[in-house]
Amino acid sequence: MKNKRLTSVSQIGCDRIVDLKFGNEEFASHLIVELYDKGNICLCDGQYMITAILRTRQDEKEDIRYAVGHFYPFEVCQTLTSPSLEIIRSNINDIKPNTQLKRWLNYMFPYSIPLIEHCLRQNGLDANKKINESNVLDDLPKVQKSMEVAHSKFSSLPLTLESGYIVFKKVQSSATDSMMDEFHPIVFNQFTSMESKEFPSYNDAIDVFFYEQETQKIEMKSLQQEKKCNEKVGQHKN
């Protein structure tokens, strides 16, 4: 890669995986960066055989090994597939105890938990409901309809989002009555009762969120220390 130039940058499937291609044709090299879980970096040749890797690991569920000498496993990367009843039914046996409906669906589809919950709520379903193999069957038609809406919304997202929102949660402190909680491209159904602030673009919302989050953490730490001091003073007075 030393004398090769970057020729393309692409996303693999719908996963948080970036493929940086250096050089062309049979002389190409690929630097694959995984931006999820613990993260990973793989250097591959033109045929996507791994020649160097930051973190060797084994995917026991899929019986796949990420290691030097193995081809990068594109087959396990998430892709955008239509949420059919067959796909949902095939995952019913994989439901673990105390699994929430929205989290079970998030294992199957790449739409994100906030969008999944938004669509479930619009169809009158409790996204936080603890499900099992029997009670999920009753709501299967509504679940599938909700995922079709999520699929449509996710597929139609533009490359550049025109607006962004920061949602605030209520807190009890002497300095403020609300704190930034999350940022989203729209105000999802589950956040309509919460305070929110609109920004000209999604990137603006992200910038403000992470810039002010550090200040917010310092303020909260100071408030917690102040609260502890007041508690100690109160104990001494008693």
Side-chain angles (χ1 to χ4, degrees):
M1 281 178 53
K2 186 176 181 181
N3 298 315
K4 296 177 182 177
R5 65 184 181 90
L6 180 65
T7 53
S8 71
V9 179
S10 59
Q11 180 185 9
I12 297 177
C14 293
D15 261 328
R16 287 168 289 175
I17 305 174
V18 181
D19 180 3
L20 303 170
K21 181 182 177 184
F22 295 84
N24 293 298
E25 307 307 330
E26 68 269 21
F27 302 108
S29 296
H30 297 266
L31 191 65
I32 297 178
V33 184
E34 298 177 349
L35 303 170
Y36 62 90
D37 194 22
K38 295 179 181 178
N40 209 356
I41 300 176
C42 304
L43 178 62
C44 304
D45 62 16
Q47 286 70 49
Y48 286 97
M49 178 175 283
I50 300 173
T51 57
I53 188 168
L54 180 64
R55 184 170 62 90
T56 300
R57 64 186 180 92
Q58 179 84 27
D59 190 330
E60 296 180 359
K61 183 179 179 181
E62 301 289 345
D63 192 27
I64 288 173
R65 183 170 172 78
Y66 294 75
V68 173
H70 292 252
F71 286 101
Y72 191 82
F74 288 94
E75 64 272 17
V76 299
C77 296
Q78 276 194 320
T79 55
L80 194 59
T81 55
S82 181
S84 64
L85 270 175
E86 289 72 21
I87 291 176
I88 298 173
R89 285 182 185 278
S90 67
N91 284 272
I92 289 179
N93 293 332
D94 296 330
I95 297 176
K96 296 178 181 178
N98 296 316
T99 297
Q100 292 178 318
L101 175 59
K102 63 183 180 183
R103 297 193 179 278
W104 175 59
L105 292 168
N106 190 53
Y107 296 141
M108 285 179 264
F109 306 112
Y111 312 136
S112 82
I113 288 180
L115 179 55
I116 287 173
E117 181 170 357
H118 172 81
C119 296
L120 289 171
R121 282 170 168 262
Q122 285 187 327
N123 280 282
L125 294 170
D126 181 2
N128 298 311
K129 177 182 178 181
K130 301 291 179 65
I131 59 170
N132 54 50
E133 293 181 23
S134 58
N135 69 11
V136 75
L137 289 172
D138 300 333
D139 296 325
L140 218 52
K142 280 190 175 182
V143 168
Q144 196 258 339
K145 182 180 178 182
S146 300
M147 291 305 94
E148 283 184 342
V149 175
H151 181 85
S152 175
K153 289 181 178 294
F154 189 83
S155 303
S156 60
L157 281 174
L159 292 176
T160 302
L161 298 169
E162 295 180 356
S163 60
Y165 298 83
I166 291 179
V167 178
F168 295 80
K169 63 181 178 181
K170 293 189 177 298
V171 295
Q172 293 181 344
S173 74
S174 58
T176 181
D177 59 357
S178 63
M179 291 181 63
M180 293 186 303
D181 189 31
E182 299 180 23
F183 57 89
H184 297 287
I186 64 171
V187 179
F188 292 112
N189 187 281
Q190 58 269 32
F191 302 129
T192 52
S193 62
M194 299 171 66
E195 178 189 352
S196 63
K197 183 178 180 181
E198 184 178 2
F199 292 84
S201 73
Y202 189 50
N203 287 340
D204 288 336
I206 294 172
D207 288 343
V208 170
F209 183 88
F210 286 106
Y211 176 77
E212 295 189 3
Q213 190 180 52
E214 292 304 314
T215 304
Q216 191 170 267
K217 286 179 181 178
I218 294 170
E219 290 176 351
M220 285 305 297
K221 188 175 181 180
S222 177
L223 287 170
Q224 289 170 357
Q225 290 174 342
E226 181 183 338
K227 184 179 178 181
K228 287 181 181 179
C229 289
N230 291 334
E231 288 175 352
K232 288 181 179 179
V233 170
Q235 289 172 358
H236 286 299
K237 285 182 178 180
N238 297 329

